[in-house]
Amino acid sequence: MAANVATAGATPQLGDAMLLEPILKHFAPNIDDKLIKVLSAIAKGTFLIARKLRVSSGDAKVGKHNLFGDDQLEVDVATDEIIFAMLRQCGAVATAASEETPDETALGGDGYSVGFDPLDGSSVIPANFAVGSIFGVWPGSHLLNRTGREQHAAAMSVYGSRTSIAMALGAEVTGGDPVAFELTLHEDTLAVEHHCVVVSEADQITWLVSKEKFEVAPAGKGFAPGDLRATADKK
């Protein structure tokens, strides 16, 4: 059953599909318009990457290595280009850098700088495991020598059986305590994609507030599917 699409002035509720801007203003009423543009660009990039991964085998190499020595896959380069294009178009990003393009790149905007990994875990795509994108957003026009505590926002997109974004806003943005919440791409948005309708603006994409408060557990167990081979080799 499709979720209800809430009106722009409504309070986000679990199960309601909403545009990103009213969701952000609910959690941070005085959020900077430029930061809304940056986070909207990230959200649109997430949608476009999810679409790209649906039709990608994930194992095609481009014959190059990134600065960290990893083989660059076609999806690494394609997703990197997607995020750079979205950040450049939004007009609110002065500088960006990524795992695939580690040098600071001027994007012609003003307000924020973004560091990101466009596709973390791309090597497990052929096995159809979930992968993700990671973003940090800093005020100003540079990234070098910045700390995590200086971030105004951060996001982690996950591409699996559903497409979701865990998004965090700092105290400077909320005017109070930092907040973190999870959004899930609305199924009607996927239907738009399925019927080959081009989504040209980020504000046409709707999201469900799937977790109103997102927290990291105080304790847990680390596990990755790739560890199973290492476990077997140690016996």
Side-chain angles (χ1 to χ4, degrees):
M1 180 179 295
N4 295 325
V5 178
T7 60
T11 299
Q13 301 290 334
L14 293 177
D16 284 343
M18 296 193 71
L19 305 175
L20 182 61
E21 183 172 343
I23 294 174
L24 294 174
K25 288 185 175 179
H26 167 71
F27 288 103
N30 297 316
I31 186 171
D32 179 20
D33 287 342
K34 290 183 179 180
L35 184 55
I36 291 175
K37 290 182 179 181
V38 176
L39 296 176
S40 294
I42 288 172
K44 183 179 180 182
T46 294
F47 167 80
L48 294 174
I49 289 174
R51 184 171 65 180
K52 171 67 178 177
L53 294 180
R54 285 179 169 220
V55 296
S56 174
S57 65
D59 55 1
K61 297 180 180 180
V62 297
K64 297 180 181 179
H65 297 82
N66 63 22
L67 187 65
F68 307 99
D70 299 324
D71 287 328
Q72 281 190 318
L73 303 178
E74 186 272 337
V75 287
D76 290 321
V77 175
T79 55
D80 196 54
E81 292 174 349
I82 287 171
I83 297 300
F84 268 109
M86 295 303 100
L87 296 178
R88 183 176 288 107
Q89 288 178 17
C90 83
V93 177
T95 303
S98 73
E99 182 175 353
E100 307 305 323
T101 309
D103 293 329
E104 290 190 347
T105 302
L107 298 187
D110 177 65
Y112 292 89
S113 294
V114 180
F116 63 96
D117 183 349
L119 197 61
D120 188 48
S122 57
S123 62
V124 301
I125 289 178
N128 207 26
F129 291 140
V131 293
S133 303
I134 304 169
F135 306 90
V137 182
W138 285 263
S141 60
H142 71 284
L143 290 166
L144 291 177
N145 301 316
R146 306 298 293 269
T147 67
R149 294 185 183 277
E150 295 177 77
Q151 291 182 82
H152 277 196
M156 179 179 67
S157 304
V158 178
Y159 315 99
S161 56
R162 61 190 175 98
T163 298
S164 62
I165 303 178
M167 194 170 287
L169 305 176
E172 301 87 351
V173 177
T174 65
D177 294 329
V179 298
F181 48 92
E182 183 192 68
L183 307 176
T184 295
L185 188 63
H186 183 216
E187 62 186 33
D188 285 355
T189 300
L190 297 178
V192 167
E193 170 203 335
H194 177 71
H195 288 94
C196 300
V197 177
V198 177
V199 177
S200 60
E201 298 294 338
D203 60 8
Q204 292 178 288
I205 302 172
T206 54
W207 299 87
L208 307 177
V209 180
S210 43
K211 290 185 180 178
E212 293 179 297
K213 188 176 183 180
F214 193 82
E215 296 180 307
V216 177
K221 295 181 179 179
F223 173 79
D227 290 340
L228 293 177
R229 176 64 181 272
T231 300
D233 289 343
K234 290 180 181 178
K235 290 183 179 180

